[in-house]
Amino acid sequence: MAELLDVRVLFVFTPEFVGDRVTAVFVDVPWSRDVSDGKLAAYAHGGQHCSVDREWVAGQRVATVAEYSELLRELFRVGYSVEVVDSFEEAKV
């Protein structure tokens, strides 16, 4: 079995995304080597990795357990070991 990737994740509710309404934000993983751009790595259903802007994240609401549980299971299936961050303050986004 492959080694799991440890990540801290803030799940945010994203009503502008039809269907996939929750995004997993990897709060400690910059999208690129240029950390000054303020973008973080994120994940949506079906293996869709993307970048999100810190300001955009701060404008979303934190998803409930019921809203993010399916995406959390998917992250485990694809090889992530997830520590769920429950608030923007804890995430320090």
Side-chain angles (χ1 to χ4, degrees):
M1 182 175 176
E3 187 175 325
L4 296 177
L5 299 170
D6 294 327
V7 290
R8 288 190 330 133
V9 173
L10 176 66
F11 291 97
V12 294
F13 184 77
T14 50
E16 68 271 25
F17 298 154
V18 177
D20 295 334
R21 294 188 173 262
V22 177
T23 300
V25 179
F26 301 146
V27 298
D28 300 319
V29 182
W31 179 247
S32 70
R33 291 183 182 179
D34 179 9
V35 295
S36 66
D37 70 0
K39 296 197 182 292
L40 297 169
Y43 184 95
H45 283 294
Q48 299 175 40
H49 287 88
C50 60
S51 68
V52 294
D53 187 85
R54 290 173 191 271
E55 290 180 19
W56 176 85
V57 173
Q60 308 305 309
R61 76 166 169 79
V62 176
T64 66
V65 173
E67 290 167 337
Y68 73 69
S69 61
E70 185 178 328
L71 185 55
L72 176 60
R73 283 191 298 275
E74 183 175 327
L75 287 170
F76 284 130
R77 278 194 310 270
V78 300
Y80 287 100
S81 173
V82 177
E83 176 187 338
V84 177
V85 177
D86 296 321
S87 69
F88 292 111
E89 294 77 21
E90 185 181 346
K92 297 179 183 161
V93 171

